[in-house]
Amino acid sequence: MILLKKINDLKTVLDRATIEGKDVSFVPTMGALHEGHLSLLKAAAGASRIVVVSIFVNPSQFNDPADFEKYPVTIEKDITMLESGGCDVLFLPAVDEIYPRNRPEAVAFDLGFLERTLEGAFRPGHFQGVCQVMDRLLSIVQPQMLFMGQKDYQQCMVVNRLIEIRKFDTILYTCPTLRETDGLAMSSRNMRLSEEERKNAVGLSAALSFIKKNLRQGNLSDTISKALDILHDHQFKPDYLTVTDAKTLEQVKDWDGTQMLVALGAAFQGEVRLIDNMVLN
Ligand code: AMP
């Protein structure tokens, strides 16, 4: 694996790979890597491909400065994991490499409803920040294949919208969520949980599993209210727990028995905000 910090060096390596007839597959991350990230790396690897992983804690996607300050950094361990996981190039840029000081002012992307609902509503500016960094990274890396996690369901929809808006020649592959044995979705933020919070954190996937198991045609409010009780019983303070159309994220109150659904939740366990989702049918 080679580690590169400068865009020009990365471009040189990628140009060489293209001449050799290799496709570029790309896994963007914010580091503090876990098995979930490695599963993306595994999906990204393949014959005649060069696999690029980026680690960049993007300041512009944190609506809460304290969350940015406390975001875990485990770079030495990350490098070891990537080396043994089959990464070819680790791109590790500094902030002013991605956002040069004299750059033109950021343009807003038209994300429509995606920016007004769920994560968009609870984290104002978050998805503009995600688009800003993904626009930069996709312009630099120009991958044929991009690998992201279903764990961030709405983020995948936003990035697909960005690819459409900017007409990038990139296909997004959405990979399944890896979970701990008790069901908790793996996340870099889990490291910040105390022992007791970690035990309670199972409540989020338990609430989503409850909705999935009890899904019936007709009104869903009773099921969702019981799932909210599960969150409260596990000391969670929810931002939202809802069932939506899997393609549009429009809330579904009455299910017709055929519409594709996803249940999504975001909740605070102590000071740590966790998100998770499950496709229901
Ligand atoms: P992050 O470092 O949190 O920005 O995540 C980088 C990528 O890893 C994103 O595409 C995430 O959706 C994905 N990811 C995070 N957690 C998981 C998980 N538990 N399983 C699979 N992919 C994940």
Side-chain angles (χ1 to χ4, degrees), residues 225-264:
S225 127
K226 285 182 179 141
L228 272 169
D229 290 343
I230 298 176
L231 285 186
H232 290 129
D233 290 348
H234 289 81
Q235 315 305 322
F236 267 111
K237 291 198 177 67
D239 272 351
Y240 59 83
L241 180 68
T242 187
V243 173
T244 75
D245 181 285
K247 287 209 175 77
T248 64
L249 291 190
E250 296 277 359
Q251 194 184 357
V252 174
K253 291 185 176 158
D254 286 285
W255 186 44
D256 63 8
T258 61
Q259 190 176 10
M260 289 296 288
L261 301 178
V262 59
L264 306 109

Side-chain angles (χ1 to χ4, degrees), residues 14 17 53 93 99 113 115 156 173 213 248 269:
L14 293 176
V53 175
Y99 302 123
F113 179 64
E115 203 173 3
C156 287
Y173 295 89
K213 203 167 146 208
T248 64
Q269 182 61 240

Side-chain angles (χ1 to χ4, degrees), residues 142-155:
Q142 299 184 21
Q144 280 77 30
M145 290 158 284
L146 170 66
F147 295 83
M148 300 183 79
Q150 189 200 308
K151 158 87 177 14
D152 298 283
Y153 192 94
Q154 192 172 359
Q155 174 171 271

